[in-house]
Amino acid sequence: MTAELVRGQNHTLPQTRLEIRVSAGSPVVAGATLGDERGTVRGAEWIAHPASHRVPGLEVSRQAAADHRLAVDLDALPGSVHRVTVLLALPLGPGQPARFGAVAAPFVAVTGLDGTEIATFTLTGLDTESAVSALELYRRQGVWKVRAVGQGYAAGLAGMLADQGVAEAAEVAASIQEAVASGLARSVTPPPRTPDGERVRHPAGPPASGDGGPAAPAPPDPAPSPPDPAPAPSDPAPARTETSGGPVNYAHPRRQTSAPPPPPPTAPPAAPGQPAQPVAGDATGWSMDERLYNQIWGMFEDLARAVAAYRSAVDFAESRMDQELDRALSDPRSRIGGAGDRAREEARAKHDELTGRAREALERDLAQLAAESAVVEPALPAAYAGWGNPVWHGYRVPMEIPMALRIGDLHLPEGIGLRIPLLVRLPLERGIWVDSGRTASEAAAATPGDRLRTLAMETAAALAARLLAVYPADEFSVHVIDPAGSAAGPLAPLVDAGVLAGPPAAGAEGVSSVLAHLTRRVDLVQMAIRAGASDALPPDLDTAEQLLIVNDFPHGFDDRAVTQLRYLADEGPSVGVHLLMVADREDTRAYGPVLDPLWRSLLRITPVADDHLADPWVGHAWTYEPLRAPQGSRVLEQVLALVAAARRAGHR
């Protein structure tokens, strides 16, 4: 299983012949230094960089590129080498970014020669730095390990080399940048969008990108994504574009994968003049799950674009008709005889023709997307599938975490029958708020208050069940705070299956106990990470991801408990503690603006269909629908029973 490292964390390397793969959204310089047991670089001959890309046991790229592969043979390193530090720097020159804060966070992966990821690290939190020590391979007591470093240098490459003891750091840095400048024209940059903005199906086989290795994914613009009004969800749609003979941008949000994708499936040739037959997984990616993930977000992008084009055409037709009618009526001669009537008829006829053609184009696009959805839905893995998908009937507890989880469906009024799965990345990067208030929307206002609160808690319980089901056994724990005990019914499947970390906490004492436990966990893990001593965590600390379900907030919460909850919302996700809140914001009005940051930090969803997800890309209001098990189905209980059995087996 891949170790996803955070800054300061280490991981034992199972082999000595490795590749280090770097993916970035813009060209970067990749190099490496060899250090002795104190980490000191003894001279320029211990630095691998574009001007001198080989040293014993190490080879790096010879130019700046958006993607790099560094070959490492730890057994071939000189005996006095105890540390290999991977360096990244921004190339100098006009038009080049001057700081890492202006580009996408680089993604670094240590892999085997077969491409299997051993450890990964995303370099977040950089700002003014133009060079960074990404990670280091180090030998301790004869065992090689990798540590995520992420140490940036505002002084650039020269400052970073000087920090490692290089005597002539400025001269070495200048020679590196000079070598980079000579080959910068060949570097890999994110390709532009195709002129018509359409998705482009990619040919089989990885694209070439010169000396920098295969073309790397590059981050798309922040939109499109279906964002919550405040703030946006963390999953932008991947841009899928291609330039003739050039690199392919197969990005997905916040993580840049590092191996060339396998050839996607190919559909049978389409008849002349007919659209290509859809195929599940017909997108770029490094696994079937990732290809399906990218395909789903491509469908979202296509639906958004098709509806935007239709609405724009209708607006244009109406505006043109209004202008023609105004011109006709402003001419006194048109008021005599039937000239005015003819002008009105002609204006309406043009309007109807334009809107009719726009509707035909929309229906053609919707039909194509519906056909693609019909192929994709049955092929989805459990984490991406709705409760009614047959994949759940063959459910088995997974051995690794999926890349995303389906938490609902999205649709637009023009394509009411076409549902696009709403996927969020795992591990969760922000908490979730199930809004049980009646004032947020017409759909909620039409639902009785008690029924709405019950639906909200059922939605939260179903989400918790999905999270438990898609994580390996004992790698996800769920805690519940139910101060008044009002959620006993919706929580029954979780309680009866025995998959909760403990009984639902009730009363002020129960609230205080659970919050203190999770706050302690966040504090200890943060201290261990900062100190680089993750092995020193207390043996009683549960290292699994933690989910806290809070019902009827703020009932049962005093000021201290509210402060602890805000702390968990802010600091918890980075160390594996997540919130799933069921609350009516109107109930917290007494706190004034104090809780505004809490609500903004959470992804808001609703227990009933509601068009509250605003798309900043084209301005659509997407309707969100929560996932529910089919009427009379016991699939949720059956899945939880398998999860509980796997956990019991793991404790034997």
Side-chain angles (χ1 to χ4, degrees), residues 404-462:
L405 178 74
R406 186 174 184 168
I407 64 169
D409 291 334
L410 300 174
H411 65 82
L412 291 170
E414 290 83 353
I416 192 68
L418 182 60
R419 300 294 194 270
I420 305 295
L422 175 58
L423 305 178
V424 296
R425 289 295 305 274
L426 294 179
L428 294 172
E429 297 180 352
R430 60 193 297 202
I432 297 175
W433 164 32
V434 185
D435 190 351
S436 60
R438 298 187 63 208
T439 60
S441 67
E442 294 181 3
T447 307
D450 291 342
R451 176 58 181 162
L452 190 64
R453 285 189 289 272
T454 299
L455 288 174
M457 197 60 208
E458 288 176 352
T459 300

Side-chain angles (χ1 to χ4, degrees), residues 346-642:
E346 290 175 359
R348 291 194 179 98
K350 291 179 182 178
H351 170 271
D352 293 343
E353 179 186 1
L354 290 173
T355 56
R357 290 192 341 227
R359 188 70 203 185
E360 287 177 5
L362 175 64
E363 290 177 353
R364 183 175 61 250
D365 291 340
L366 291 178
Q368 181 69 11
L369 284 169
E372 188 172 8
S373 178
V375 171
V376 168
E377 280 285 354
L380 295 178
Y384 301 176
W387 288 115
N389 193 307
V391 70
W392 285 106
H393 296 289
Y395 168 77
R396 294 293 181 270
V397 177
M399 299 298 293
E400 59 182 21
I401 303 171
M403 68 181 297
L405 178 74
R406 186 174 184 168
I407 64 169
D409 291 334
L410 300 174
H411 65 82
L412 291 170
E414 290 83 353
I416 192 68
L418 182 60
R419 300 294 194 270
I420 305 295
L422 175 58
L423 305 178
V424 296
R425 289 295 305 274
L426 294 179
L428 294 172
E429 297 180 352
R430 60 193 297 202
I432 297 175
W433 164 32
V434 185
D435 190 351
S436 60
R438 298 187 63 208
T439 60
S441 67
E442 294 181 3
T447 307
D450 291 342
R451 176 58 181 162
L452 190 64
R453 285 189 289 272
T454 299
L455 288 174
M457 197 60 208
E458 288 176 352
T459 300
L463 279 176
R466 291 179 73 85
L467 285 162
L468 285 164
V470 302
Y471 270 77
D474 292 332
E475 290 194 19
F476 198 84
S477 297
V478 178
H479 308 260
V480 178
I481 289 178
D482 185 21
S486 59
L491 289 172
L494 298 172
V495 174
D496 294 345
V499 293
L500 296 179
E509 184 177 349
V511 171
S512 176
S513 175
V514 172
L515 291 176
H517 170 73
L518 293 177
T519 301
R520 172 180 176 267
R521 184 191 184 281
V522 171
D523 290 339
L524 289 175
V525 175
Q526 283 187 336
M527 287 189 292
I529 291 173
R530 293 187 186 119
S534 56
D535 297 339
L537 289 169
D540 64 332
L541 188 79
D542 183 4
T543 57
E545 297 275 319
Q546 309 286 312
L547 178 71
L548 173 60
I549 303 177
V550 179
N551 184 41
D552 275 349
F553 176 77
H555 301 299
F557 282 71
D558 56 19
D559 289 345
R560 175 179 172 79
V562 170
T563 300
Q564 288 177 315
L565 190 70
R566 289 183 56 191
Y567 175 73
L568 293 178
D570 293 339
E571 304 293 335
S574 64
V575 291
V577 177
H578 314 284
L579 286 185
L580 177 53
M581 292 186 59
V582 178
D584 178 359
R585 191 168 181 175
E586 290 296 310
D587 293 340
T588 66
R589 274 190 297 178
Y591 289 91
V594 172
L595 292 180
D596 287 351
L598 173 65
W599 304 119
R600 286 196 298 268
S601 71
L602 303 173
L603 170 61
R604 174 178 172 263
I605 62 175
T606 53
V608 293
D610 185 63
D611 61 350
H612 68 280
L613 289 176
D615 175 6
W617 180 40
V618 288
H620 297 330
W622 291 80
T623 296
Y624 166 83
E625 287 190 11
L627 297 175
R628 302 201 185 282
Q631 188 69 27
S633 171
R634 293 190 57 80
V635 62
L636 191 148
E637 289 81 359
Q638 293 166 0
V639 168
L640 288 176
L642 292 172

Side-chain angles (χ1 to χ4, degrees), residues 144-407:
W144 282 96
K145 297 183 178 183
V146 57
R147 177 186 291 121
V149 180
Q151 175 64 54
Y153 292 83
L157 193 56
M160 180 167 53
L161 294 175
D163 192 49
Q164 296 187 27
V166 178
E168 299 178 348
E171 290 78 4
V172 174
S175 68
I176 294 174
Q177 292 290 3
E178 182 179 355
V180 169
S182 65
L184 193 57
R186 296 180 293 135
S187 63
V188 178
T189 56
R193 241 176 150 57
T194 52
D196 58 359
E198 292 298 321
R199 273 194 291 164
V200 178
R201 301 300 184 188
H202 302 288
S209 63
D211 293 338
D221 294 333
S225 70
D228 188 36
S234 59
D235 289 319
R240 297 195 276 182
T241 59
E242 180 179 358
T243 56
S244 177
V248 175
N249 171 10
Y250 31 76
H252 65 72
R254 292 216 178 117
R255 175 185 175 208
Q256 303 302 318
T257 45
S258 54
T266 57
Q274 297 297 319
Q277 295 299 310
V279 174
D282 189 12
T284 56
W286 283 251
S287 67
M288 186 61 174
D289 285 2
E290 186 169 357
R291 293 201 298 270
L292 287 168
Y293 174 91
N294 285 342
Q295 187 172 14
I296 287 169
W297 284 110
M299 292 166 60
F300 165 83
E301 185 181 39
D302 285 353
L303 179 57
R305 184 167 44 243
V307 171
Y310 170 73
R311 292 180 181 178
S312 177
V314 170
D315 289 344
F316 171 76
E318 291 178 350
S319 174
R320 177 174 174 172
M321 182 180 68
D322 291 342
Q323 291 175 5
E324 291 180 349
L325 289 176
D326 288 343
R327 283 198 300 268
L329 295 176
S330 64
D331 187 354
R333 292 173 297 180
S334 66
R335 302 172 189 173
I336 302 173
D341 293 336
R342 285 194 301 272
R344 282 190 290 269
E345 290 174 1
E346 290 175 359
R348 291 194 179 98
K350 291 179 182 178
H351 170 271
D352 293 343
E353 179 186 1
L354 290 173
T355 56
R357 290 192 341 227
R359 188 70 203 185
E360 287 177 5
L362 175 64
E363 290 177 353
R364 183 175 61 250
D365 291 340
L366 291 178
Q368 181 69 11
L369 284 169
E372 188 172 8
S373 178
V375 171
V376 168
E377 280 285 354
L380 295 178
Y384 301 176
W387 288 115
N389 193 307
V391 70
W392 285 106
H393 296 289
Y395 168 77
R396 294 293 181 270
V397 177
M399 299 298 293
E400 59 182 21
I401 303 171
M403 68 181 297
L405 178 74
R406 186 174 184 168
I407 64 169

